[in-house]
């Protein structure tokens, strides 16, 4: 079964962003597949002209923003968007467009709070950089030094994996390890504890984007500081910068009266998501909510500490930030001669634009209704942040890429919307081998339902309980917060319709009883979805 939820979704957003922009604007790319077209350089604009960011070009790029956003909102149907441009140490532009909820039709403004999804990784990295500057930890501090209960499958890796390793996605954990557990209702501590049961790829030589590697590192930092992660973020980052609309807690997001609710596509129609994304378990990696005004303040701070005249500020020092915005892992290897490789630092994408300027960036995506990005050119003191309240479809990246083209070259050099939407739009499609199919007309009958009932054990996922309820079966996996009614399909094969961050509307999963085993398709992407009957 194909899974494309938060992180699967986010990483695929990133893959396309790396390949299409050449500036590593996306969240992260686990691999690179060259795009095919008749025109050479389609995947990465050819570097046939050096970029020159001037006041005039930046002003013209800003002037073009409202018209282009109005056009793209109409084309995409995404309900709302907020954007800010930071230049030369100031917020040069900020505005809101569209609505924050399709049902209430309340407008987006510069104080509207959005969930920023995986942009939280970059925000959190600056919290870690503050603790590095204060001497609480270093990027090379072993995670178990302050999180002794953390373990991976290899004891040697457990002993040696550092905060920096996990923030660079190079621990050997598979892509998005732990996300499936969060979908089942496990909390942060339980997800981190269960990572030891997952297979590992070679340590420090394999890049795999994820949330719970970064969450584990951040938890170790918080422990070292003697504070809860959300409290630490507030104390060392949000309060000093006056980011009063920003929080790392879901309850604060939901309590905001000026909140942009998530939206998803139901067929061709955008609707308010039936269940807002609750990301507290992976807060350091995806749980920040913020306004465009606050994000502009944060980006100004990052640029001030990373440009040619970098200087210490109230949060961090250039020396502490530098490793985070320096290539640590190859995120998007070049596969054609004209393509530029993409890299990941510690919570940041780093790379080089088509015009030869260093770039620092990240995107965020929730399948349940968020698409965000920021892109910056530290040596030019320029950055743009885009927040949307629709399931990511390339809108945020397209707006940012249009702006950066105009600011660097005085023209838009690609049809970014066509490229990004073509790659990212299908990511919200339902998943599962049986999507769109009907049960076979000659389906074999099921055995008596009581034959299937009982508990089935799995080291990673915990217990799967199959219960007879009336004249049907119910399946509960993990801590019991998610229950799926099972419908008979064929013989010992049943199906259910999951809906979560990793299973868009319309998804179908098989639950196959095979002797004493139960195989759950939804959980079997890494061959970990087999449960053995207990007793």
């Amino acid at each position: 079964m194909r899974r494309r939820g938060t992180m699967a979704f986010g990483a695929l957003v990133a893959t396309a962003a790396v390949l299409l922009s050449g500036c590593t604007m996306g969240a992260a790319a686990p691999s690179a597949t060259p795009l095919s077209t008749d025109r050479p350089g389609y995947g990465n604009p050819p570097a046939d002209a050096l970029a020159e960011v001037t006041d005039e070009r930046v002003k013209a790029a800003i002037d073009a923003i409202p018209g282009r956003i109005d056009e793209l909102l109409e084309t995409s149907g995404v309900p709302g968007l907020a954007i800010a441009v930071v230049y030369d140490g100031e917020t040069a532009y900020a505005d809101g467009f569209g609505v924050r909820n399709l049902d209430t039709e309340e407008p987006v403004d510069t104080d509207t709070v959005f969930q920023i999804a995986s942009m939280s990784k970059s925000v959190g990295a600056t919290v870690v950089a503050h603790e590095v500057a204060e001497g609480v930890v270093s990027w090379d501090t072993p995670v178990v030094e302050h999180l002794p209960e953390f373990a991976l499958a290899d004891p040697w890796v457990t002993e040696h994996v550092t905060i920096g390793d996990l923030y660079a996605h190079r621990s050997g954990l598979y892509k998005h390890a732990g996300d499936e557990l969060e979908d089942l209702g496990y909390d942060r501590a339980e997800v981190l504890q269960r990572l030891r049961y997952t297979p590992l790829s070679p340590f420090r030589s394999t890049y795999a984007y994820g949330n719970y590697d970064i969450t584990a590192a951040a938890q170790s930092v918080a422990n070292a500081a003697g504070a809860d992660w959300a409290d630490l973020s507030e104390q060392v980052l949000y309060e000093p910068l006056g980011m009063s609309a920003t929080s790392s807690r879901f309850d604060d997001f939901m309590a905001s009266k000026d909140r942009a609710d998530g939206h998803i596509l139901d067929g061709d129609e955008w609707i308010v998501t039936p269940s807002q994304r609750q990301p507290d378990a992976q807060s350091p990696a995806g749980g920040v909510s913020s306004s465009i005004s606050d994000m502009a303040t944060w980006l100004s701070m990052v640029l001030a500490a990373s440009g040619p005249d970098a200087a210490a500020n109230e949060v961090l020092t250039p020396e502490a930030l530098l490793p985070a915005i320096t290539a640590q892992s190859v995120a998007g290897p070049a596969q054609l001669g004209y393509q530029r490789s993409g890299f990941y630092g510690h919570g940041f994408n780093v790379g080089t634009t088509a015009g030869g300027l260093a770039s620092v960036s990240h995107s965020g995506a929730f399948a349940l209704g968020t698409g965000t990005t920021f892109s910056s050119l530290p040596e030019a003191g320029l950055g743009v942040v885009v927040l949307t309240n629709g399931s990511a479809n390339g809108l945020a990246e397209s707006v940012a890429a249009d702006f950066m083209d105009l600011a660097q070259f005085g023209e838009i050099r690609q049809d970014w919307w066509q490229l990004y939407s073509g790659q990212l739009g299908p990511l919200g499609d339902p998943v599962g081998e049986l999507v769109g199919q009907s049960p076979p007309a000659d389906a074999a009958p099921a055995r008596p339902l009581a034959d299937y009932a009982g508990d089935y054990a799995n080291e990673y996922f915990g217990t799967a309980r199959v219960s007879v309820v009336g004249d049907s079966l119910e399946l509960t996996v993990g801590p019991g917060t998610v229950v799926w009614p099972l419908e008979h399909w064929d013989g010992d094969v049943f199906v259910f319709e999951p809906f979560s961050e990793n299973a868009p509307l319309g998804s179908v999963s098989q639950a196959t009883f095979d002797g004493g085993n139960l195989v759950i398709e939804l959980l079997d992407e890494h061959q970990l979805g087999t449960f053995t009957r207990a007793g």
Side-chain angles (χ1 to χ4, degrees), residues 1 46 95 98 177 185 258 265 277:
M1 182 174 186
D95 206 353
D258 189 355
L265 278 171
R277 178 75 170 93

Side-chain angles (χ1 to χ4, degrees), residues 90-449:
E90 298 181 353
T91 299
Y93 178 85
D95 206 353
F97 298 81
V99 298
R100 45 194 172 96
N101 183 299
L102 279 173
D103 295 337
T104 64
E105 297 187 340
E106 296 164 309
V108 172
D109 57 39
T110 57
D111 294 320
T112 298
V113 177
F114 291 75
Q115 293 183 299
I116 70 170
S118 282
M119 277 173 54
S120 305
K121 295 176 174 64
S122 301
V123 173
T126 57
V127 174
V128 177
H130 174 274
E131 297 304 286
V132 171
E134 292 293 308
V136 175
V137 295
S138 76
W139 291 107
D140 294 327
T141 298
V143 172
V144 293
E145 184 171 323
H146 301 291
L147 189 65
E149 65 271 27
F150 180 72
L152 297 175
D154 185 325
W156 191 93
V157 175
T158 297
E159 182 181 351
H160 290 86
V161 67
T162 67
I163 292 166
D165 289 326
L166 294 182
Y167 260 92
H169 304 302
R170 63 189 183 203
S171 67
L173 285 168
Y174 62 72
K175 183 175 67 177
H176 308 312
D179 292 356
E180 330 94 309
L181 298 173
E182 182 188 350
D183 270 0
L184 295 175
Y186 285 111
D187 63 18
R188 183 186 308 172
E190 190 68 20
V191 173
L192 296 182
Q193 191 275 335
R194 290 176 179 271
L195 291 180
R196 68 193 67 196
Y197 302 124
T198 66
L200 290 179
S201 296
F203 182 44
R204 291 180 180 160
S205 63
T206 305
Y207 170 89
Y209 183 80
N211 289 302
Y212 281 96
D213 49 359
I214 279 181
T215 298
Q219 187 63 56
S220 181
V221 173
N223 289 352
D228 172 78
W229 173 260
D231 290 338
L232 180 65
S233 300
E234 184 175 359
Q235 292 163 12
V236 307
L237 181 62
Y238 309 150
E239 287 183 351
L241 293 183
M243 297 170 64
S244 58
T246 305
S247 175
S248 293
R249 296 184 185 87
F250 178 71
D251 284 349
D252 291 339
F253 168 70
M254 293 300 293
S256 174
K257 295 181 180 179
D258 189 355
R259 180 185 76 240
D261 291 315
H263 294 74
I264 60 174
L265 278 171
D266 184 2
D268 295 328
E269 180 184 1
W270 285 97
I271 62 170
V272 179
T273 183
S275 177
Q276 293 294 317
R277 178 75 170 93
Q278 213 290 33
D280 277 353
Q282 48 134 308
S283 176
V288 175
S289 57
S290 186
S291 67
I292 200 66
S293 296
D294 279 7
M295 288 306 299
T297 297
W298 171 82
L299 185 54
S300 293
M301 182 269 295
V302 172
L303 287 170
S306 59
D309 300 318
N313 54 54
E314 59 267 55
V315 174
L316 46 74
T317 65
E319 294 77 16
L321 179 64
L322 182 60
I325 58 173
T326 300
Q328 303 289 344
S329 301
V330 179
Q335 295 190 9
L336 296 174
Y338 61 80
Q339 289 184 327
R340 288 168 295 285
S341 296
F343 301 93
Y344 204 83
H346 296 316
F348 290 89
N349 276 37
V350 296
T352 306
T353 73
L357 295 178
S359 69
V360 175
S361 56
H362 214 290
S363 281
F366 283 162
L368 292 180
T370 296
T372 65
T373 198
F374 84 89
S375 183
S376 65
L377 306 174
E379 58 197 289
L382 178 66
V384 58
V385 187
V386 184
L387 310 177
T388 79
N389 63 345
S391 182
N393 60 358
L395 173 62
E397 289 81 5
S398 300
V399 170
D402 281 354
F403 175 82
M404 282 301 190
D405 265 4
L406 289 169
Q408 291 178 89
F409 308 109
E411 62 179 356
I412 297 175
R413 307 178 82 211
Q414 298 279 344
D415 185 342
W416 293 111
W417 169 246
Q418 178 187 13
L419 295 174
Y420 279 119
S421 63
Q423 290 291 303
L424 305 181
L427 301 183
D429 293 344
V431 296
E433 292 182 2
L434 299 180
V435 169
Q437 297 186 35
S438 299
D442 57 350
R447 289 180 277 137
L449 296 185

Side-chain angles (χ1 to χ4, degrees), residues 422-504:
Q423 290 291 303
L424 305 181
L427 301 183
D429 293 344
V431 296
E433 292 182 2
L434 299 180
V435 169
Q437 297 186 35
S438 299
D442 57 350
R447 289 180 277 137
L449 296 185
D451 287 0
Y452 303 109
D455 289 349
Y456 297 77
N458 179 287
E459 189 174 49
Y460 181 52
F461 290 110
T463 299
R465 175 161 295 170
V466 178
S467 306
V468 179
V469 180
D471 57 356
S472 61
L473 296 176
E474 284 186 350
L475 172 63
T476 304
V477 185
T481 59
V482 179
V483 179
W484 293 303
L486 296 181
E487 295 184 13
H488 181 249
W489 186 267
D490 184 14
D492 290 331
V493 178
F494 292 73
V495 297
F496 61 94
E497 297 183 358
F499 173 62
S500 68
E501 184 60 32
N502 289 286

